[in-house]
Amino acid sequence: MGGGTWLVFHFMGSESRSRLGEWQSWLVAGAFRDLSAARGLPAVGGVGTIFHPGPGSGYERLCCSLHHKTSAAGRQALTSRIKRGVKRAGLTLVSIAFAKPENLAPIVVAKTSDQHARLGSWMPKTSPYGDDGALEGAFFEVENEAGRVVFFVGHSTRTQTGMGSIGLGGPRPPPSSG
């Protein structure tokens, strides 16, 4: 793999069951890389994820400038912003939590009443965060009324890595009339 020290994270379960954990590993890798550089420790060249049991692993070279400036917004301000955004998107809030590699990175779960919502072909009208480019990262998941995930997206600002469900499924269902 070359290019400095690599951080490798192991997950129990398949890749699809470890989305949140994989996203959190990117947050940790980015913060660790920046802290290592600030302290004159060996460079962190990349991050790996390995899923157990079964196949599934990935290695990515960390890109981008060190210590991308992220917002120090507080928990209360972000929570208020997210609640307004979830409502604006026509969703019901299920939970808000935060990861904190340095600054806050929201983890939001919401629910849709759209009976046509299917994983891979559905997405909400808007993001509950608005412009989230200044956050450490963000993870957003939407469930249907049965509690099945129909949409997810996550990104890490420091590592410039992301994941999402759009494109995993077939064509979008036709719009409902009326």
Side-chain angles (χ1 to χ4, degrees), residues 159-172:
T159 61
Q160 293 295 297
T161 48
M163 64 174 70
S165 60
I166 295 302
L168 292 178
R172 293 175 80 86

Side-chain angles (χ1 to χ4, degrees), residues 25-46:
S25 73
W26 298 337
L27 295 178
V28 169
F32 185 84
R33 178 202 54 195
D34 290 354
L35 184 59
S36 292
R39 293 190 176 171
L41 298 172
V44 176

Side-chain angles (χ1 to χ4, degrees), residues 68-82:
H68 180 85
K69 180 91 170 124
T70 59
S71 170
R75 186 177 303 262
Q76 187 174 2
L78 277 175
T79 298
S80 294
R81 177 172 142 192
I82 290 165

Side-chain angles (χ1 to χ4, degrees), residues 8-178:
V8 179
F9 297 87
H10 293 261
F11 297 95
M12 297 307 294
S14 67
E15 186 172 1
S16 65
R17 294 188 60 215
S18 302
R19 290 185 286 259
L20 180 60
E22 184 175 11
W23 170 76
Q24 289 171 322
S25 73
W26 298 337
L27 295 178
V28 169
F32 185 84
R33 178 202 54 195
D34 290 354
L35 184 59
S36 292
R39 293 190 176 171
L41 298 172
V44 176
V47 61
T49 51
I50 300 174
F51 301 93
H52 303 280
S57 63
Y59 295 89
E60 297 183 43
R61 182 166 296 288
L62 293 179
C63 73
C64 312
S65 62
L66 294 178
H67 201 77
H68 180 85
K69 180 91 170 124
T70 59
S71 170
R75 186 177 303 262
Q76 187 174 2
L78 277 175
T79 298
S80 294
R81 177 172 142 192
I82 290 165
K83 285 180 176 179
R84 286 189 308 271
V86 166
K87 187 175 182 178
R88 192 172 33 257
L91 303 170
T92 302
L93 182 63
V94 173
S95 66
I96 300 174
F98 294 94
K100 191 175 186 317
E102 182 177 342
N103 292 312
L104 295 175
I107 303 164
V108 176
V109 178
K111 186 171 286 207
T112 180
S113 59
D114 184 344
Q115 295 183 4
H116 297 289
R118 301 285 182 269
L119 185 65
S121 61
W122 182 88
M123 63 186 297
K125 298 175 206 168
T126 63
S127 164
Y129 314 109
D131 178 13
D132 59 1
L135 298 173
E136 283 280 337
F139 189 86
F140 178 42
E141 188 172 272
V142 179
E143 303 170 343
N144 64 14
E145 294 289 333
R148 290 195 178 97
V149 175
V150 296
F151 175 82
F152 68 88
V153 64
H155 85 274
S156 166
T157 302
R158 290 175 192 268
T159 61
Q160 293 295 297
T161 48
M163 64 174 70
S165 60
I166 295 302
L168 292 178
R172 293 175 80 86
S176 59
S177 59

